[in-house]
Amino acid sequence: MRKILLLLCLVISSSLFAQLPRNLLTPTSRIHMYDEYNGSVYMKSRYKESSVIDEKSGTFDAKLKYNIFSDALEYNSKSDLFEVVKSPTVHARIDGDYFYYCDFKNQRNSDRKGYYVLVELSDRYRIYKRFTLKIKDPPVKTGVIDGITEPGSIRMITTYYLEESGIIMELPMNKKEMLATFSDKQDELKAYLKKESIRLKKEEDLIRLVARYNALKSTDATPSQSLLSNRGRNN
């Protein structure tokens, strides 16, 4: 997949795998408040064979799962629950997804800390995705109701971001908003969308469109101009 995760592969291959040390873990407790809801606060329900990459000490084996609600990489050991320390120098690979804890800012200079999954790496920019939850609480009982009350629900939301030098911009998932976001190359991108049958909700196509926009910007008279300079967004 092009240049995706090349840097991490080099880090992993240069280090022996070992058990996850306790200095990379923080005690935590299980969240029970949504147990009766349809859906889950976890990206995936089961613990997965994973690797934790600490830039200071090496790469370690572990079984992890990502808690979207608490934005934590959870680790279970002898019935004790921990989370991997949240640090920009500690990353994790779970089922092929590479999680980075990032201290990003948006274009309005607001903090956007949290775990982001790297999906595309280039010399000029990166594309990440971030998971959040849409939680719908059950209806409030106003009296005696026969039958089973409708439970609450939890749905995972995936949002994509374009990042340059620690600044991120949310990438729209529909064509009209995307063309407005990259309006300086709107005509060229509109033709590209049609010619290539690009579907922005498909991750690979979203990556292709950003790469095309980068190529178009690189042909400008001032090719060093940031990809994020065209429009400010409240992300």
Side-chain angles (χ1 to χ4, degrees):
M1 290 178 66
R2 295 185 218 126
K3 300 179 181 178
I4 296 179
L5 311 178
L6 176 59
L7 178 60
L8 278 177
C9 291
L10 292 174
V11 171
I12 292 174
S13 63
S14 63
S15 175
L16 293 176
F17 287 84
Q19 287 299 112
L20 187 60
R22 289 301 176 95
N23 67 303
L24 294 181
L25 297 171
T26 302
T28 188
S29 56
R30 190 173 182 275
I31 297 170
H32 293 281
M33 59 190 297
Y34 298 114
D35 284 355
E36 302 302 320
Y37 283 49
N38 289 328
S40 173
V41 297
Y42 292 97
M43 179 184 172
K44 296 181 180 178
S45 60
R46 300 179 63 183
Y47 287 91
K48 299 289 186 176
E49 294 289 347
S50 309
S51 302
V52 177
I53 303 102
D54 178 16
E55 294 179 4
K56 299 177 182 178
S57 60
T59 301
F60 307 94
D61 283 334
K63 285 190 174 182
L64 304 175
K65 62 179 179 179
Y66 177 55
N67 187 324
I68 304 172
F69 181 79
S70 58
D71 195 24
L73 302 176
E74 291 187 355
Y75 173 77
N76 189 284
S77 176
K78 298 179 180 178
S79 300
D80 293 324
L81 190 62
F82 301 87
E83 65 177 57
V84 177
V85 294
K86 294 177 179 179
S87 167
T89 61
V90 179
H91 326 302
R93 177 183 59 80
I94 306 175
D95 250 9
D97 288 322
Y98 285 79
F99 287 79
Y100 286 81
Y101 190 78
C102 301
D103 188 10
F104 291 145
K105 292 185 180 295
N106 67 6
Q107 293 168 293
R108 295 177 181 269
N109 205 38
S110 298
D111 290 334
R112 290 294 182 265
K113 291 183 179 181
Y115 277 109
Y116 293 79
V117 174
L118 180 65
V119 297
E120 177 72 344
L121 173 67
S122 79
D123 295 336
R124 187 174 183 181
Y125 64 88
R126 292 174 175 83
I127 298 175
Y128 292 89
K129 60 184 174 184
R130 179 161 166 77
F131 304 106
T132 54
L133 297 175
K134 183 176 182 180
I135 300 175
K136 181 182 178 182
D137 293 324
V140 177
K141 294 182 180 180
T142 58
V144 178
I145 302 176
D146 294 331
I148 300 174
T149 303
E150 179 184 352
S153 63
I154 301 174
R155 183 164 62 92
M156 184 176 75
I157 306 296
T158 304
T159 307
Y160 290 85
Y161 293 91
L162 177 63
E163 181 262 329
E164 282 186 296
S165 303
I167 306 298
I168 60 172
M169 178 184 73
E170 182 179 335
L171 290 169
M173 300 304 290
N174 69 69
K175 294 180 180 181
K176 184 177 179 180
E177 290 186 9
M178 181 66 82
L179 291 173
T181 297
F182 296 144
S183 59
D184 57 330
K185 301 296 180 184
Q186 183 170 359
D187 293 341
E188 297 95 324
L189 291 178
K190 188 175 182 179
Y192 180 76
L193 286 166
K194 183 177 181 179
K195 179 182 178 182
E196 300 296 326
S197 300
I198 296 293
R199 298 169 56 198
L200 294 180
K201 292 185 179 180
K202 186 177 179 181
E203 187 173 290
E204 293 83 356
D205 283 2
L206 182 67
I207 292 170
R208 290 172 61 197
L209 183 71
V210 175
R212 180 58 179 166
Y213 181 63
N214 178 52
L216 291 169
K217 295 280 280 189
S218 298
T219 62
D220 286 346
T222 55
S224 61
Q225 185 180 12
S226 168
L227 298 184
L228 308 184
S229 64
N230 182 55
R231 178 184 175 188
R233 292 174 61 88
N234 184 19
N235 298 319

Coordinates of all heavy atoms in Angstrom, one line a residue, residues 175 188-200 202 204-205 208-209 212:
K175 N -18.9 14.5 -2.0 CA -18.2 15.2 -3.1 C -18.4 16.7 -3.1 O -17.4 17.4 -3.3 CB -18.7 14.6 -4.5 CG -18.3 13.1 -4.7 CD -18.8 12.6 -6.0 CE -18.4 11.2 -6.2 NZ -18.9 10.7 -7.6
E188 N -10.5 20.6 -11.8 CA -9.6 19.4 -12.0 C -10.1 18.2 -11.2 O -10.1 17.1 -11.7 CB -8.2 19.7 -11.7 CG -7.6 20.8 -12.6 CD -7.6 22.2 -11.9 OE1 -8.6 22.4 -11.2 OE2 -6.6 22.9 -12.1
L189 N -10.4 18.4 -9.9 CA -10.8 17.3 -9.1 C -12.2 16.8 -9.5 O -12.5 15.6 -9.4 CB -10.8 17.8 -7.6 CG -9.4 18.0 -7.0 CD1 -9.6 18.5 -5.6 CD2 -8.5 16.8 -7.1
K190 N -13.1 17.7 -9.9 CA -14.4 17.2 -10.3 C -14.3 16.3 -11.5 O -15.0 15.3 -11.6 CB -15.2 18.5 -10.7 CG -16.7 18.1 -11.0 CD -17.5 19.4 -11.2 CE -19.0 19.1 -11.5 NZ -19.8 20.3 -11.6
A191 N -13.4 16.6 -12.5 CA -13.2 15.8 -13.6 C -12.6 14.5 -13.2 O -12.9 13.4 -13.7 CB -12.3 16.5 -14.6
Y192 N -11.6 14.5 -12.2 CA -11.0 13.3 -11.7 C -12.0 12.4 -11.0 O -12.0 11.2 -11.2 CB -9.8 13.7 -10.8 CG -9.1 12.5 -10.2 CD1 -8.2 11.8 -11.0 CD2 -9.3 12.1 -8.9 CE1 -7.4 10.8 -10.5 CE2 -8.6 11.0 -8.4 CZ -7.7 10.4 -9.2 OH -6.9 9.3 -8.7
L193 N -12.8 13.0 -10.2 CA -13.9 12.2 -9.5 C -14.7 11.4 -10.5 O -15.0 10.2 -10.3 CB -14.7 13.1 -8.7 CG -14.1 13.6 -7.4 CD1 -15.0 14.8 -6.8 CD2 -14.0 12.5 -6.3
K194 N -15.1 12.1 -11.6 CA -16.0 11.5 -12.6 C -15.2 10.4 -13.4 O -15.7 9.3 -13.6 CB -16.5 12.5 -13.5 CG -17.5 12.0 -14.6 CD -18.1 13.1 -15.4 CE -19.1 12.6 -16.4 NZ -19.7 13.7 -17.3
K195 N -14.0 10.7 -13.8 CA -13.3 9.8 -14.7 C -12.9 8.5 -14.0 O -13.0 7.4 -14.5 CB -12.0 10.5 -15.2 CG -11.1 9.6 -16.0 CD -9.8 10.4 -16.4 CE -8.9 9.4 -17.3 NZ -7.7 10.1 -17.6
E196 N -12.5 8.7 -12.7 CA -12.1 7.5 -11.9 C -13.2 6.9 -11.1 O -12.9 5.9 -10.3 CB -10.9 7.9 -11.0 CG -9.7 8.5 -11.7 CD -9.0 7.4 -12.6 OE1 -9.1 6.2 -12.2 OE2 -8.5 7.8 -13.7
S197 N -14.4 7.4 -11.2 CA -15.5 6.8 -10.4 C -15.2 6.8 -8.9 O -15.4 5.7 -8.2 CB -15.9 5.5 -10.9 OG -16.3 5.5 -12.3
I198 N -14.7 7.9 -8.4 CA -14.2 7.9 -7.0 C -15.4 7.9 -6.0 O -16.4 8.7 -6.2 CB -13.4 9.2 -6.8 CG1 -12.1 9.1 -7.6 CG2 -13.1 9.4 -5.3 CD1 -11.1 8.0 -7.2
R199 N -15.3 7.1 -5.1 CA -16.3 7.0 -4.0 C -15.6 7.4 -2.7 O -14.8 6.6 -2.2 CB -16.9 5.6 -3.9 CG -17.7 5.2 -5.1 CD -18.1 3.7 -5.0 NE -18.8 3.4 -3.8 CZ -19.0 2.2 -3.3 NH1 -18.4 1.2 -3.9 NH2 -19.7 2.0 -2.3
L200 N -15.9 8.6 -2.1 CA -15.2 9.1 -1.0 C -15.4 8.3 0.3 O -14.5 8.3 1.2 CB -15.6 10.5 -0.8 CG -15.1 11.5 -1.9 CD1 -15.6 12.9 -1.5 CD2 -13.6 11.5 -2.1
K202 N -15.1 5.2 0.4 CA -14.2 4.1 0.3 C -12.8 4.6 0.6 O -12.3 5.6 -0.1 CB -14.2 3.5 -1.1 CG -13.4 2.3 -1.3 CD -13.6 1.8 -2.8 CE -12.8 0.5 -3.0 NZ -12.9 0.1 -4.4
E204 N -9.7 3.7 0.2 CA -8.7 3.7 -0.9 C -8.9 4.9 -1.9 O -8.0 5.5 -2.4 CB -8.7 2.4 -1.7 CG -8.2 1.2 -0.8 CD -9.3 0.6 0.0 OE1 -10.4 1.2 0.1 OE2 -9.0 -0.4 0.7
D205 N -10.2 5.2 -2.2 CA -10.5 6.3 -3.1 C -10.3 7.6 -2.5 O -9.8 8.6 -3.1 CB -12.0 6.2 -3.5 CG -12.2 5.1 -4.6 OD1 -11.2 4.4 -4.9 OD2 -13.4 4.9 -5.0
R208 N -6.7 8.2 -2.8 CA -6.3 8.6 -4.2 C -6.7 10.0 -4.5 O -5.9 10.7 -5.2 CB -7.1 7.7 -5.1 CG -6.6 6.2 -5.2 CD -7.6 5.4 -6.0 NE -7.6 5.8 -7.4 CZ -8.6 5.5 -8.2 NH1 -9.6 4.7 -7.8 NH2 -8.6 5.9 -9.4
L209 N -7.8 10.5 -4.0 CA -8.2 11.9 -4.3 C -7.2 12.9 -3.6 O -6.8 13.9 -4.3 CB -9.6 12.2 -3.8 CG -10.1 13.6 -4.1 CD1 -10.4 13.7 -5.6 CD2 -11.4 13.9 -3.3
R212 N -4.1 13.0 -5.6 CA -4.3 13.8 -6.8 C -4.3 15.3 -6.5 O -3.6 16.0 -7.3 CB -5.7 13.4 -7.5 CG -6.0 14.2 -8.7 CD -5.0 14.0 -9.8 NE -5.3 14.7 -11.0 CZ -4.4 14.9 -12.0 NH1 -3.2 14.4 -11.9 NH2 -4.8 15.5 -13.1

